[in-house]
Amino acid sequence: MSTIMKFERLQDKQCESVISFLLSEKIHFSLFCLIDRVKFMPELPREIMENFQPISLFVLKGYTFDSIELTARGIIFEAGFGSENIGRYVEIGFRDILQVIITNPKDKDVPVFTRLSCRDLFDFTQEDELQKSMEAIMSNPHNKQYL
């Protein structure tokens, strides 16, 4: 398994642990997630879907918070949408949650989980590392005599 996949799984577990903790402590929270990966059951009308941003915020409190269920792959909850408050079940995979936020007692939003971009962290090859190492060695004029 690649380093990227291992780190993605680690972040999924961390996200799940944070949400599980917040649920057990009955702390309301919000999620930023990739809307194109969110599943609405049944589907929402097109005019409501068009109002979502690519990264959207779901505020989980009140009835929505009480309806939360954790699954092996993510979170499911019931929420109302649009002016008619159309009720839908919402399913979001842990992998698709970018940030978990709570509002602290001073009424400030505080991220308690933020997903990092694994590709930015680990997208390199051994050849890249060898090349960088060779360049570092060659940058010292005293090392050229050994090569």
Side-chain angles (χ1 to χ4, degrees), residues 124-141:
F124 58 85
T125 63
Q126 257 187 324
E127 291 80 24
D128 293 338
E129 293 303 302
L130 288 173
Q131 181 64 33
K132 288 179 189 175
S133 179
M134 184 60 83
E135 288 170 6
I137 291 169
M138 294 302 289
S139 68
N140 183 336

mmCIF file with all atom_site columns, all heavy atoms in Angstrom, residues 124-141:
data_model
loop_
_atom_site.group_PDB
_atom_site.id
_atom_site.type_symbol
_atom_site.label_atom_id
_atom_site.label_alt_id
_atom_site.label_comp_id
_atom_site.label_asym_id
_atom_site.label_entity_id
_atom_site.label_seq_id
_atom_site.pdbx_PDB_ins_code
_atom_site.Cartn_x
_atom_site.Cartn_y
_atom_site.Cartn_z
_atom_site.occupancy
_atom_site.B_iso_or_equiv
_atom_site.pdbx_formal_charge
_atom_site.auth_seq_id
_atom_site.auth_comp_id
_atom_site.auth_asym_id
_atom_site.auth_atom_id
_atom_site.pdbx_PDB_model_num
ATOM 1   N N   . PHE A 1 124 ? 5.982  12.129 -4.320  1.00 0.00 ? 124 PHE A N   1
ATOM 2   C CA  . PHE A 1 124 ? 7.359  12.161 -4.799  1.00 0.00 ? 124 PHE A CA  1
ATOM 3   C C   . PHE A 1 124 ? 7.785  10.726 -5.078  1.00 0.00 ? 124 PHE A C   1
ATOM 4   O O   . PHE A 1 124 ? 7.173  9.777  -4.626  1.00 0.00 ? 124 PHE A O   1
ATOM 5   C CB  . PHE A 1 124 ? 8.298  12.816 -3.786  1.00 0.00 ? 124 PHE A CB  1
ATOM 6   C CG  . PHE A 1 124 ? 8.311  12.138 -2.441  1.00 0.00 ? 124 PHE A CG  1
ATOM 7   C CD1 . PHE A 1 124 ? 9.128  11.044 -2.208  1.00 0.00 ? 124 PHE A CD1 1
ATOM 8   C CD2 . PHE A 1 124 ? 7.503  12.596 -1.406  1.00 0.00 ? 124 PHE A CD2 1
ATOM 9   C CE1 . PHE A 1 124 ? 9.143  10.414 -0.977  1.00 0.00 ? 124 PHE A CE1 1
ATOM 10  C CE2 . PHE A 1 124 ? 7.519  11.964 -0.171  1.00 0.00 ? 124 PHE A CE2 1
ATOM 11  C CZ  . PHE A 1 124 ? 8.332  10.876 0.048   1.00 0.00 ? 124 PHE A CZ  1
ATOM 12  N N   . THR A 1 125 ? 8.842  10.601 -5.827  1.00 0.00 ? 125 THR A N   1
ATOM 13  C CA  . THR A 1 125 ? 9.372  9.266  -6.121  1.00 0.00 ? 125 THR A CA  1
ATOM 14  C C   . THR A 1 125 ? 10.771 9.155  -5.544  1.00 0.00 ? 125 THR A C   1
ATOM 15  O O   . THR A 1 125 ? 11.413 10.167 -5.230  1.00 0.00 ? 125 THR A O   1
ATOM 16  C CB  . THR A 1 125 ? 9.438  9.021  -7.640  1.00 0.00 ? 125 THR A CB  1
ATOM 17  O OG1 . THR A 1 125 ? 10.366 9.969  -8.199  1.00 0.00 ? 125 THR A OG1 1
ATOM 18  C CG2 . THR A 1 125 ? 8.071  9.163  -8.288  1.00 0.00 ? 125 THR A CG2 1
ATOM 19  N N   . GLN A 1 126 ? 11.264 7.942  -5.428  1.00 0.00 ? 126 GLN A N   1
ATOM 20  C CA  . GLN A 1 126 ? 12.612 7.740  -4.929  1.00 0.00 ? 126 GLN A CA  1
ATOM 21  C C   . GLN A 1 126 ? 13.623 8.410  -5.845  1.00 0.00 ? 126 GLN A C   1
ATOM 22  O O   . GLN A 1 126 ? 14.621 8.943  -5.382  1.00 0.00 ? 126 GLN A O   1
ATOM 23  C CB  . GLN A 1 126 ? 12.917 6.243  -4.827  1.00 0.00 ? 126 GLN A CB  1
ATOM 24  C CG  . GLN A 1 126 ? 12.852 5.741  -3.423  1.00 0.00 ? 126 GLN A CG  1
ATOM 25  C CD  . GLN A 1 126 ? 13.335 4.305  -3.342  1.00 0.00 ? 126 GLN A CD  1
ATOM 26  O OE1 . GLN A 1 126 ? 13.112 3.502  -4.228  1.00 0.00 ? 126 GLN A OE1 1
ATOM 27  N NE2 . GLN A 1 126 ? 14.000 4.001  -2.253  1.00 0.00 ? 126 GLN A NE2 1
ATOM 28  N N   . GLU A 1 127 ? 13.354 8.403  -7.149  1.00 0.00 ? 127 GLU A N   1
ATOM 29  C CA  . GLU A 1 127 ? 14.271 9.031  -8.091  1.00 0.00 ? 127 GLU A CA  1
ATOM 30  C C   . GLU A 1 127 ? 14.390 10.537 -7.813  1.00 0.00 ? 127 GLU A C   1
ATOM 31  O O   . GLU A 1 127 ? 15.471 11.106 -7.902  1.00 0.00 ? 127 GLU A O   1
ATOM 32  C CB  . GLU A 1 127 ? 13.816 8.795  -9.535  1.00 0.00 ? 127 GLU A CB  1
ATOM 33  C CG  . GLU A 1 127 ? 13.934 7.366  -10.008 1.00 0.00 ? 127 GLU A CG  1
ATOM 34  C CD  . GLU A 1 127 ? 12.778 6.477  -9.533  1.00 0.00 ? 127 GLU A CD  1
ATOM 35  O OE1 . GLU A 1 127 ? 11.690 7.017  -9.241  1.00 0.00 ? 127 GLU A OE1 1
ATOM 36  O OE2 . GLU A 1 127 ? 12.980 5.269  -9.422  1.00 0.00 ? 127 GLU A OE2 1
ATOM 37  N N   . ASP A 1 128 ? 13.251 11.168 -7.481  1.00 0.00 ? 128 ASP A N   1
ATOM 38  C CA  . ASP A 1 128 ? 13.272 12.591 -7.146  1.00 0.00 ? 128 ASP A CA  1
ATOM 39  C C   . ASP A 1 128 ? 14.179 12.838 -5.940  1.00 0.00 ? 128 ASP A C   1
ATOM 40  O O   . ASP A 1 128 ? 14.969 13.780 -5.921  1.00 0.00 ? 128 ASP A O   1
ATOM 41  C CB  . ASP A 1 128 ? 11.861 13.112 -6.810  1.00 0.00 ? 128 ASP A CB  1
ATOM 42  C CG  . ASP A 1 128 ? 10.922 13.109 -7.996  1.00 0.00 ? 128 ASP A CG  1
ATOM 43  O OD1 . ASP A 1 128 ? 11.411 13.107 -9.137  1.00 0.00 ? 128 ASP A OD1 1
ATOM 44  O OD2 . ASP A 1 128 ? 9.697  13.118 -7.762  1.00 0.00 ? 128 ASP A OD2 1
ATOM 45  N N   . GLU A 1 129 ? 14.054 11.977 -4.936  1.00 0.00 ? 129 GLU A N   1
ATOM 46  C CA  . GLU A 1 129 ? 14.855 12.132 -3.726  1.00 0.00 ? 129 GLU A CA  1
ATOM 47  C C   . GLU A 1 129 ? 16.331 11.890 -4.004  1.00 0.00 ? 129 GLU A C   1
ATOM 48  O O   . GLU A 1 129 ? 17.195 12.602 -3.487  1.00 0.00 ? 129 GLU A O   1
ATOM 49  C CB  . GLU A 1 129 ? 14.351 11.199 -2.621  1.00 0.00 ? 129 GLU A CB  1
ATOM 50  C CG  . GLU A 1 129 ? 12.968 11.567 -2.108  1.00 0.00 ? 129 GLU A CG  1
ATOM 51  C CD  . GLU A 1 129 ? 12.888 12.994 -1.593  1.00 0.00 ? 129 GLU A CD  1
ATOM 52  O OE1 . GLU A 1 129 ? 13.654 13.345 -0.665  1.00 0.00 ? 129 GLU A OE1 1
ATOM 53  O OE2 . GLU A 1 129 ? 12.084 13.770 -2.132  1.00 0.00 ? 129 GLU A OE2 1
ATOM 54  N N   . LEU A 1 130 ? 16.649 10.897 -4.852  1.00 0.00 ? 130 LEU A N   1
ATOM 55  C CA  . LEU A 1 130 ? 18.039 10.643 -5.214  1.00 0.00 ? 130 LEU A CA  1
ATOM 56  C C   . LEU A 1 130 ? 18.627 11.824 -5.983  1.00 0.00 ? 130 LEU A C   1
ATOM 57  O O   . LEU A 1 130 ? 19.777 12.211 -5.760  1.00 0.00 ? 130 LEU A O   1
ATOM 58  C CB  . LEU A 1 130 ? 18.153 9.369  -6.047  1.00 0.00 ? 130 LEU A CB  1
ATOM 59  C CG  . LEU A 1 130 ? 17.936 8.058  -5.294  1.00 0.00 ? 130 LEU A CG  1
ATOM 60  C CD1 . LEU A 1 130 ? 17.901 6.884  -6.258  1.00 0.00 ? 130 LEU A CD1 1
ATOM 61  C CD2 . LEU A 1 130 ? 19.038 7.863  -4.265  1.00 0.00 ? 130 LEU A CD2 1
ATOM 62  N N   . GLN A 1 131 ? 17.847 12.401 -6.884  1.00 0.00 ? 131 GLN A N   1
ATOM 63  C CA  . GLN A 1 131 ? 18.302 13.550 -7.659  1.00 0.00 ? 131 GLN A CA  1
ATOM 64  C C   . GLN A 1 131 ? 18.590 14.736 -6.742  1.00 0.00 ? 131 GLN A C   1
ATOM 65  O O   . GLN A 1 131 ? 19.611 15.401 -6.869  1.00 0.00 ? 131 GLN A O   1
ATOM 66  C CB  . GLN A 1 131 ? 17.260 13.930 -8.716  1.00 0.00 ? 131 GLN A CB  1
ATOM 67  C CG  . GLN A 1 131 ? 17.669 15.103 -9.589  1.00 0.00 ? 131 GLN A CG  1
ATOM 68  C CD  . GLN A 1 131 ? 18.893 14.811 -10.439 1.00 0.00 ? 131 GLN A CD  1
ATOM 69  O OE1 . GLN A 1 131 ? 19.108 13.690 -10.863 1.00 0.00 ? 131 GLN A OE1 1
ATOM 70  N NE2 . GLN A 1 131 ? 19.706 15.820 -10.675 1.00 0.00 ? 131 GLN A NE2 1
ATOM 71  N N   . LYS A 1 132 ? 17.717 14.988 -5.795  1.00 0.00 ? 132 LYS A N   1
ATOM 72  C CA  . LYS A 1 132 ? 17.922 16.096 -4.842  1.00 0.00 ? 132 LYS A CA  1
ATOM 73  C C   . LYS A 1 132 ? 19.173 15.852 -4.005  1.00 0.00 ? 132 LYS A C   1
ATOM 74  O O   . LYS A 1 132 ? 19.952 16.772 -3.753  1.00 0.00 ? 132 LYS A O   1
ATOM 75  C CB  . LYS A 1 132 ? 16.707 16.247 -3.919  1.00 0.00 ? 132 LYS A CB  1
ATOM 76  C CG  . LYS A 1 132 ? 15.493 16.824 -4.591  1.00 0.00 ? 132 LYS A CG  1
ATOM 77  C CD  . LYS A 1 132 ? 14.339 16.901 -3.596  1.00 0.00 ? 132 LYS A CD  1
ATOM 78  C CE  . LYS A 1 132 ? 13.049 17.266 -4.274  1.00 0.00 ? 132 LYS A CE  1
ATOM 79  N NZ  . LYS A 1 132 ? 11.912 17.224 -3.349  1.00 0.00 ? 132 LYS A NZ  1
ATOM 80  N N   . SER A 1 133 ? 19.373 14.607 -3.604  1.00 0.00 ? 133 SER A N   1
ATOM 81  C CA  . SER A 1 133 ? 20.537 14.262 -2.805  1.00 0.00 ? 133 SER A CA  1
ATOM 82  C C   . SER A 1 133 ? 21.824 14.466 -3.616  1.00 0.00 ? 133 SER A C   1
ATOM 83  O O   . SER A 1 133 ? 22.802 15.025 -3.118  1.00 0.00 ? 133 SER A O   1
ATOM 84  C CB  . SER A 1 133 ? 20.429 12.818 -2.332  1.00 0.00 ? 133 SER A CB  1
ATOM 85  O OG  . SER A 1 133 ? 21.560 12.464 -1.583  1.00 0.00 ? 133 SER A OG  1
ATOM 86  N N   . MET A 1 134 ? 21.800 14.033 -4.876  1.00 0.00 ? 134 MET A N   1
ATOM 87  C CA  . MET A 1 134 ? 22.970 14.190 -5.745  1.00 0.00 ? 134 MET A CA  1
ATOM 88  C C   . MET A 1 134 ? 23.274 15.667 -5.984  1.00 0.00 ? 134 MET A C   1
ATOM 89  O O   . MET A 1 134 ? 24.431 16.080 -5.956  1.00 0.00 ? 134 MET A O   1
ATOM 90  C CB  . MET A 1 134 ? 22.729 13.467 -7.075  1.00 0.00 ? 134 MET A CB  1
ATOM 91  C CG  . MET A 1 134 ? 23.932 13.496 -7.993  1.00 0.00 ? 134 MET A CG  1
ATOM 92  S SD  . MET A 1 134 ? 25.377 12.724 -7.260  1.00 0.00 ? 134 MET A SD  1
ATOM 93  C CE  . MET A 1 134 ? 25.059 11.028 -7.611  1.00 0.00 ? 134 MET A CE  1
ATOM 94  N N   . GLU A 1 135 ? 22.237 16.451 -6.181  1.00 0.00 ? 135 GLU A N   1
ATOM 95  C CA  . GLU A 1 135 ? 22.440 17.891 -6.371  1.00 0.00 ? 135 GLU A CA  1
ATOM 96  C C   . GLU A 1 135 ? 23.045 18.536 -5.125  1.00 0.00 ? 135 GLU A C   1
ATOM 97  O O   . GLU A 1 135 ? 23.910 19.409 -5.229  1.00 0.00 ? 135 GLU A O   1
ATOM 98  C CB  . GLU A 1 135 ? 21.111 18.564 -6.722  1.00 0.00 ? 135 GLU A CB  1
ATOM 99  C CG  . GLU A 1 135 ? 20.625 18.242 -8.122  1.00 0.00 ? 135 GLU A CG  1
ATOM 100 C CD  . GLU A 1 135 ? 19.199 18.713 -8.392  1.00 0.00 ? 135 GLU A CD  1
ATOM 101 O OE1 . GLU A 1 135 ? 18.596 19.393 -7.528  1.00 0.00 ? 135 GLU A OE1 1
ATOM 102 O OE2 . GLU A 1 135 ? 18.681 18.395 -9.480  1.00 0.00 ? 135 GLU A OE2 1
ATOM 103 N N   . ALA A 1 136 ? 22.630 18.094 -3.960  1.00 0.00 ? 136 ALA A N   1
ATOM 104 C CA  . ALA A 1 136 ? 23.188 18.633 -2.718  1.00 0.00 ? 136 ALA A CA  1
ATOM 105 C C   . ALA A 1 136 ? 24.669 18.277 -2.600  1.00 0.00 ? 136 ALA A C   1
ATOM 106 O O   . ALA A 1 136 ? 25.497 19.116 -2.227  1.00 0.00 ? 136 ALA A O   1
ATOM 107 C CB  . ALA A 1 136 ? 22.413 18.103 -1.513  1.00 0.00 ? 136 ALA A CB  1
ATOM 108 N N   . ILE A 1 137 ? 25.002 17.041 -2.951  1.00 0.00 ? 137 ILE A N   1
ATOM 109 C CA  . ILE A 1 137 ? 26.404 16.615 -2.887  1.00 0.00 ? 137 ILE A CA  1
ATOM 110 C C   . ILE A 1 137 ? 27.236 17.395 -3.898  1.00 0.00 ? 137 ILE A C   1
ATOM 111 O O   . ILE A 1 137 ? 28.332 17.877 -3.592  1.00 0.00 ? 137 ILE A O   1
ATOM 112 C CB  . ILE A 1 137 ? 26.522 15.090 -3.140  1.00 0.00 ? 137 ILE A CB  1
ATOM 113 C CG1 . ILE A 1 137 ? 25.926 14.326 -1.960  1.00 0.00 ? 137 ILE A CG1 1
ATOM 114 C CG2 . ILE A 1 137 ? 27.965 14.679 -3.391  1.00 0.00 ? 137 ILE A CG2 1
ATOM 115 C CD1 . ILE A 1 137 ? 25.748 12.844 -2.205  1.00 0.00 ? 137 ILE A CD1 1
ATOM 116 N N   . MET A 1 138 ? 26.716 17.551 -5.117  1.00 0.00 ? 138 MET A N   1
ATOM 117 C CA  . MET A 1 138 ? 27.465 18.226 -6.179  1.00 0.00 ? 138 MET A CA  1
ATOM 118 C C   . MET A 1 138 ? 27.598 19.733 -5.937  1.00 0.00 ? 138 MET A C   1
ATOM 119 O O   . MET A 1 138 ? 28.474 20.377 -6.497  1.00 0.00 ? 138 MET A O   1
ATOM 120 C CB  . MET A 1 138 ? 26.794 17.977 -7.535  1.00 0.00 ? 138 MET A CB  1
ATOM 121 C CG  . MET A 1 138 ? 26.837 16.518 -7.967  1.00 0.00 ? 138 MET A CG  1
ATOM 122 S SD  . MET A 1 138 ? 28.511 15.873 -8.090  1.00 0.00 ? 138 MET A SD  1
ATOM 123 C CE  . MET A 1 138 ? 29.079 16.728 -9.525  1.00 0.00 ? 138 MET A CE  1
ATOM 124 N N   . SER A 1 139 ? 26.724 20.298 -5.122  1.00 0.00 ? 139 SER A N   1
ATOM 125 C CA  . SER A 1 139 ? 26.802 21.746 -4.870  1.00 0.00 ? 139 SER A CA  1
ATOM 126 C C   . SER A 1 139 ? 28.015 22.109 -4.024  1.00 0.00 ? 139 SER A C   1
ATOM 127 O O   . SER A 1 139 ? 28.436 23.263 -3.996  1.00 0.00 ? 139 SER A O   1
ATOM 128 C CB  . SER A 1 139 ? 25.518 22.239 -4.183  1.00 0.00 ? 139 SER A CB  1
ATOM 129 O OG  . SER A 1 139 ? 25.430 21.728 -2.867  1.00 0.00 ? 139 SER A OG  1
ATOM 130 N N   . ASN A 1 140 ? 28.615 21.138 -3.362  1.00 0.00 ? 140 ASN A N   1
ATOM 131 C CA  . ASN A 1 140 ? 29.822 21.372 -2.584  1.00 0.00 ? 140 ASN A CA  1
ATOM 132 C C   . ASN A 1 140 ? 31.024 21.059 -3.478  1.00 0.00 ? 140 ASN A C   1
ATOM 133 O O   . ASN A 1 140 ? 31.223 19.919 -3.888  1.00 0.00 ? 140 ASN A O   1
ATOM 134 C CB  . ASN A 1 140 ? 29.815 20.462 -1.341  1.00 0.00 ? 140 ASN A CB  1
ATOM 135 C CG  . ASN A 1 140 ? 31.012 20.712 -0.442  1.00 0.00 ? 140 ASN A CG  1
ATOM 136 O OD1 . ASN A 1 140 ? 32.058 21.198 -0.869  1.00 0.00 ? 140 ASN A OD1 1
ATOM 137 N ND2 . ASN A 1 140 ? 30.848 20.349 0.821   1.00 0.00 ? 140 ASN A ND2 1
ATOM 138 N N   . PRO A 1 141 ? 31.851 22.081 -3.808  1.00 0.00 ? 141 PRO A N   1
ATOM 139 C CA  . PRO A 1 141 ? 32.978 21.872 -4.727  1.00 0.00 ? 141 PRO A CA  1
ATOM 140 C C   . PRO A 1 141 ? 33.975 20.814 -4.249  1.00 0.00 ? 141 PRO A C   1
ATOM 141 O O   . PRO A 1 141 ? 34.630 20.157 -5.046  1.00 0.00 ? 141 PRO A O   1
ATOM 142 C CB  . PRO A 1 141 ? 33.657 23.235 -4.815  1.00 0.00 ? 141 PRO A CB  1
ATOM 143 C CG  . PRO A 1 141 ? 32.895 24.165 -3.967  1.00 0.00 ? 141 PRO A CG  1
ATOM 144 C CD  . PRO A 1 141 ? 31.763 23.437 -3.337  1.00 0.00 ? 141 PRO A CD  1
#
